[in-house]
Amino acid sequence: SGQGGKYSREANEAPRAPAPAQFRVVKLNQIWEKAQRLQLSAVKLAELHSDLKIQEKDELGWKKLKAEGLDEDGEKEAKLRRNLHVIMAKYGMNGKKDAQLADSNYIKDGSESDVLDDPRLEKLWSKAKTSGKFSEDELDKLWREFKHHKEKIHDYNLLLETVSRTEEIHKNVINPSDENVVKEELLHSKHRELKDKLRSISQGFERLRKVSHQGYDATSEFEEPRVIDLWDMAKSANFTEKELESFREELKHFEAKIEKHQHYQKQLEISHQKLKHIEGTGDKDHLNRNREKYTMLEEKTKELGYKVKKHLQDLSGRISRGLQHNEL
């Protein structure tokens, strides 16, 4: 630790230049700077970065729309505010201590019930774990599905909370002469988003119930929970056989992209642990080499995270339009 102190003094004597702004939207840079001061893991920080990049893309797109005189009813602006609130809550930056979902290494760290905190899910998981129907790899995969389901419920509750808040704001903003028509459209749009999420939660729970009781189907096409969700939703959307087949192929590419991102997340976590260890030794050459590797992995993880989230956004939008078509 003495050497670590010496290294720290040397670092203080030659401070590095301030990091360049990461985003073109001021408030997103402020959130990013705040996040640097929190005790977030390297993987969580990279994940937040890609969430903020998606938000930046949407904010800049909205500014362009607004300049063209579109979004008169303020619906897109309201949705951007909701999304930002959800991001803040997701990473524990909204002032609520319990807002951030606990990180968990699946079944290996023995904290399943702490993460699930839903009696129905806990009961299913407990049955599946003791049923003897699953290998360790399959249990690992099933645990990811359970955790993903828990996150969906969490996201739904956050959206519900922000929708309620923005409805209150809109009550005071909308021009009374247009009030009825515009308010109806706003409510329809927001509630449709909630309805889609609720449908996904309901389908997801049925799937978990079925898999927990019967085990995995050997012919199952997809492994990743987000992809399984999208495929289940796509089958109940208004797609032709040809469109559904094309969507299936795209989901295969999407799953490969997710797997690549997960590989880099694991490498980033390993590199971060190694870097912390080397910082304690004071070996500057070794430190610089590892810092370069860490920076490369961090950038690649952020970039892949952004691509995964953008692809997910596009795929979800297509399904949502297909489901709306069903309701017309």
Side-chain angles (χ1 to χ4, degrees), residues 198-258:
L198 203 53
R199 183 194 275 118
S200 174
I201 286 169
S202 174
Q203 286 185 346
F205 183 77
E206 274 311 302
R207 177 187 155 72
L208 281 176
R209 198 176 60 75
K210 188 180 169 189
V211 171
S212 298
H213 285 93
Q214 298 173 12
Y216 277 109
D217 179 354
T219 60
S220 177
E221 285 188 86
F222 301 110
E223 301 265 321
E224 167 60 36
R226 280 170 289 183
V227 182
I228 292 166
D229 260 0
L230 287 167
W231 182 234
D232 284 346
M233 296 284 276
K235 285 184 287 190
S236 51
N238 193 38
F239 291 143
T240 63
E241 211 168 305
K242 193 177 175 185
E243 284 170 335
L244 197 58
E245 188 49 44
S246 163
F247 199 81
R248 183 205 302 261
E249 285 306 308
E250 197 168 341
L251 285 179
K252 286 178 186 172
H253 293 299
F254 181 50
E255 187 162 67
K257 203 179 277 183
I258 290 173

Side-chain angles (χ1 to χ4, degrees), residues 280-298:
T281 69
D283 181 343
K284 286 212 283 187
D285 288 342
H286 199 188
L287 182 66
N288 287 337
R289 278 198 308 276
N290 277 275
R291 188 174 276 148
E292 277 173 29
K293 186 184 179 188
Y294 174 77
T295 303
M296 181 275 289
L297 284 168
E298 186 183 36

Side-chain angles (χ1 to χ4, degrees), residues 112-225:
E112 306 99 318
S113 58
D114 296 342
V115 180
L116 294 176
D117 67 283
D118 177 321
R120 291 193 312 165
L121 292 180
E122 282 168 21
K123 193 174 173 186
L124 274 185
W125 172 245
S126 179
K127 270 189 177 173
K129 227 176 16 170
T130 55
S131 69
K133 290 190 174 81
F134 301 93
S135 66
E136 191 166 334
D137 282 350
E138 285 175 332
L139 268 181
D140 214 33
K141 177 180 160 187
L142 184 61
W143 176 243
R144 284 204 303 276
E145 288 202 49
F146 270 91
K147 192 166 170 245
H148 174 63
H149 190 79
K150 169 66 186 151
E151 285 166 359
K152 283 201 300 187
I153 295 169
H154 187 72
D155 287 351
Y156 173 80
N157 289 332
L158 286 173
L159 184 64
L160 189 60
E161 185 189 320
T162 49
V163 163
S164 305
R165 189 172 299 135
T166 48
E167 276 176 11
E168 284 304 311
I169 293 165
H170 277 289
K171 275 181 193 171
N172 306 321
V173 172
I174 295 167
N175 184 327
S177 61
D178 305 326
E179 189 170 352
N180 290 339
V181 179
V182 176
K183 191 189 272 186
E184 207 171 301
E185 283 174 13
L186 284 168
L187 289 174
H188 184 65
S189 163
K190 288 176 195 168
H191 291 174
R192 188 168 57 226
E193 198 178 342
L194 282 166
K195 194 174 172 183
D196 284 351
K197 283 187 182 289
L198 203 53
R199 183 194 275 118
S200 174
I201 286 169
S202 174
Q203 286 185 346
F205 183 77
E206 274 311 302
R207 177 187 155 72
L208 281 176
R209 198 176 60 75
K210 188 180 169 189
V211 171
S212 298
H213 285 93
Q214 298 173 12
Y216 277 109
D217 179 354
T219 60
S220 177
E221 285 188 86
F222 301 110
E223 301 265 321
E224 167 60 36

